[in-house]
Amino acid sequence: MYTQSLSIPDAEAKGPKKVENAEYLAEFNAKIDAGGFIEPKDWMPEAYRKTLVRQISQHAHSEIVGMLPEGNWITRAPSLKRKAILLAKVQDEGGHGLYLYAAAETLGVSRDELYEALLDGRAKYSSIFNYPTLNWADIGVIGWLVDGAAIMNQIPLCKCSYGPYARAMIRVCKEESFHQRQGYDLLLAMMRGTTEQREMVQDAVNRWWWPSIMMFGPHDRDSVHTESTRWGIKRISNDELRQKFVDATVKQAEVLGVTLPDPDLKWNEARGHYDFGAIDWDEFWNVVGGHGQCNVERIAARRKAWEDGAWVREAALEHARKRAARDKQAA
Amino acid sequence: MERKEWPLWEVFIRSRNGLDHKHCGSVHAPDAKLALQTARDVYTRRMEGVSIWVVKASDIVASDPDAKPELFDPAEDKIYRHPTFYQLPEEVNHM
């Protein structure tokens, strides 16, 4: 889900030895095969380290950029209760980004390097956040479908082979469940409201359904990251996760009273799963490639936050330095 | 723009009295006070702590994972340190 990238932030590895060594590699592979964990100062193949830096940092970028479409509606929440809930959710997303940056940094990259890669486009974030939030129903649908898809992906990551990433995921999963429930709860309230509110919900579902199932990435046959599987980072395939998500969501849609916008969606008795229609991969690649509705706006917002905050970062460091010097003099 | 990075701090939290402080992650902060506040904001949004320790990552001294054999080997063959080494009569085996 977070591995769409054409290049990786290139950083000098600090910590794990860079030396490639057949004996170390055999030991490393045996640890992975036995279902063990790799920790920050353990020896690891350079390719393992690089792919984790890419995936974990892009996951972190997704959390931070993901604050923007929902942040858009905080000032316009329909009630104090919904405003407080949305604030808590967006705050959580910020926290998740921080857990993940912390995990990525254990691999020998700095926060500044990762952030620069996001701002200049070398690093990606989940393509779903390039869609706009047009009204309050979108907030509910994001919680239900987008967080729902994220949960599907994040649960197996709790057992990924890299210790800090797995532990960050356990924290994230504990907090993520409320995200999906509050979204569904919001939609239930609207569906029990006026005709206009019900139509808003259906319209939001029509716009967010296909982008949500695209979140799981290309079909397995078109996927390139086989080392992720060999090294215990990716434990379940894109298509398998996508199928689990569709199967779980159909019932939820029925209870809500909305129609999922796919005429080919139907139960397949022989497979024991729901069949669903063809995904428009042109749209997916178009959005990943920078031509979605909000790509430019999202990065501009992140760049503005980074640049406008520079004086705060510098002032805080200078203040700390001055206070330390003063304390030393007084001692 | 010249980059000035905030130092890294590791965070340890005691979730309730009776338990140890446990490592839960890291934060960047310019000084100790902000490190504590940030650790509280990031790691205790759901009341997960009664006590927070923050330690500058550069102050942590760690054992070398490659030296695992030399460092820990001597402990491995002292099986008489384990209760199961001792066979006792059934009637007193609950010791």
Side-chain angles (χ1 to χ4, degrees):
Chain A
M1 190 177 279
Y2 307 102
T3 55
Q4 306 308 325
S5 177
L6 304 172
S7 70
I8 312 142
D10 220 354
E12 255 307 300
K14 305 169 199 93
K17 287 191 283 289
K18 267 188 115 160
V19 175
E20 299 296 325
N21 174 310
E23 197 189 305
Y24 290 159
L25 183 60
E27 216 177 281
F28 174 85
N29 283 336
K31 215 190 289 188
I32 300 280
D33 292 340
F37 290 99
I38 308 298
E39 296 294 347
K41 295 291 184 277
D42 291 344
W43 183 89
M44 61 185 77
E46 184 57 15
Y48 178 80
R49 193 189 68 84
K50 275 198 155 135
T51 211
L52 277 172
V53 167
R54 175 184 54 215
Q55 179 166 338
I56 302 173
S57 66
Q58 292 190 161
H59 195 161
H61 297 324
S62 300
E63 299 282 355
I64 303 297
V65 174
M67 296 167 77
L68 293 169
E70 291 178 287
N72 186 29
W73 282 91
I74 289 175
T75 56
R76 292 172 291 174
S79 69
L80 185 58
K81 170 180 156 182
R82 293 293 174 194
K83 191 201 279 307
I85 289 171
L86 186 56
L87 276 166
K89 178 178 195 287
V90 172
Q91 186 183 33
D92 268 359
E93 308 296 12
H96 294 178
L98 292 179
Y99 304 154
L100 289 161
Y101 283 128
E105 288 166 40
T106 63
L107 290 159
V109 280
S110 76
R111 177 74 57 88
D112 281 10
E113 286 166 316
L114 297 176
Y115 215 72
E116 201 171 278
L118 169 70
L119 293 183
D120 67 26
R122 279 176 293 132
K124 301 287 183 195
Y125 51 89
S126 190
S127 53
I128 191 75
F129 300 118
N130 291 313
Y131 291 84
T133 40
L134 299 182
N135 57 54
W136 187 251
D138 287 32
I139 299 301
V141 168
I142 286 178
W144 173 38
L145 296 180
V146 176
D147 285 276
I151 288 170
M152 229 20 115
N153 181 61
Q154 281 161 182
I155 290 177
L157 283 173
C158 291
K159 297 217 184 68
C160 89
S161 58
Y162 189 58
Y165 194 20
R167 289 189 288 275
M169 284 293 97
I170 292 173
R171 257 186 188 276
V172 167
C173 285
K174 280 198 185 125
E175 301 181 345
E176 200 79 40
S177 165
F178 121 70
H179 296 184
Q180 189 179 28
R181 291 174 74 91
Q182 66 81 38
Y184 196 80
D185 182 61
L186 187 165
L187 296 176
L188 274 173
M190 288 184 79
M191 291 304 286
R192 289 169 185 156
T194 64
T195 308
E196 194 186 346
Q197 286 172 315
R198 283 193 293 276
E199 285 171 358
M200 276 173 80
V201 174
Q202 182 61 63
D203 172 70
V205 170
N206 293 344
R207 283 181 288 106
W208 288 91
W209 172 247
W210 289 101
S212 297
I213 66 175
M214 284 180 209
M215 282 174 75
F216 295 97
H219 287 305
D220 297 348
R221 61 178 181 269
D222 302 319
S223 286
V224 287
H225 302 290
T226 45
E227 326 99 5
S228 290
T229 309
R230 198 265 166 271
W231 285 328
I233 300 170
K234 187 172 182 50
R235 300 219 183 259
I236 306 187
S237 78
N238 292 353
D239 285 333
E240 215 181 312
L241 286 172
R242 189 177 0 248
Q243 184 68 73
K244 276 168 101 113
F245 175 70
V246 172
D247 291 346
T249 309
V250 172
K251 177 70 181 177
Q252 294 164 1
E254 276 166 26
V255 169
L256 203 49
V258 296
T259 313
L260 296 173
D262 181 358
D264 298 320
L265 184 66
K266 76 170 78 72
W267 180 251
N268 183 321
E269 188 60 49
R271 285 199 315 127
H273 293 288
Y274 281 93
D275 288 337
F276 50 94
I279 293 171
D280 180 0
W281 291 112
D282 284 341
E283 179 182 336
F284 176 74
W285 289 112
N286 206 36
V287 174
V288 169
H291 308 292
Q293 295 174 65
C294 297
N295 301 56
V296 172
E297 189 185 317
R298 299 291 178 234
I299 292 296
R302 291 321 312 158
R303 181 176 295 284
K304 182 171 200 301
W306 180 250
E307 288 172 0
D308 287 0
W311 75 268
V312 176
R313 296 193 293 279
E314 288 165 27
L317 270 178
E318 185 56 24
H319 176 74
R321 191 196 64 78
K322 278 186 177 157
R323 215 171 39 195
R326 214 173 342 164
D327 290 346
K328 203 163 166 188
Q329 268 211 330
Chain B
M1 191 207 332
E2 195 203 311
R3 284 200 234 121
K4 289 183 184 141
E5 298 212 18
W6 285 1
L8 184 69
W9 305 72
E10 298 295 339
V11 180
F12 302 80
I13 298 198
R14 191 204 306 283
S15 56
R16 58 189 159 82
N17 278 9
L19 298 175
D20 295 341
H21 281 78
K22 227 174 97 156
H23 180 243
C24 60
S26 58
V27 295
H28 286 275
D31 60 34
K33 182 165 165 207
L34 272 180
L36 265 182
Q37 280 180 10
T38 308
R40 180 208 57 193
D41 291 345
V42 178
Y43 293 105
T44 68
R45 276 195 301 285
R46 287 163 175 78
M47 297 263 300
E48 300 93 300
V50 299
S51 166
I52 302 176
W53 288 350
V54 290
V55 183
K56 266 207 172 129
S58 55
D59 286 338
I60 294 182
V61 182
S63 61
D64 179 1
D66 290 336
K68 255 200 293 268
E70 299 90 78
L71 203 54
F72 298 115
D73 251 356
E76 264 178 52
D77 60 6
K78 295 186 170 58
I79 56 176
Y80 44 77
R81 284 193 169 141
H82 295 272
T84 44
F85 180 74
Y86 302 91
Q87 303 299 333
L88 300 181
E90 184 69 46
E91 308 94 310
V92 296
N93 209 23
H94 58 270
M95 271 193 245

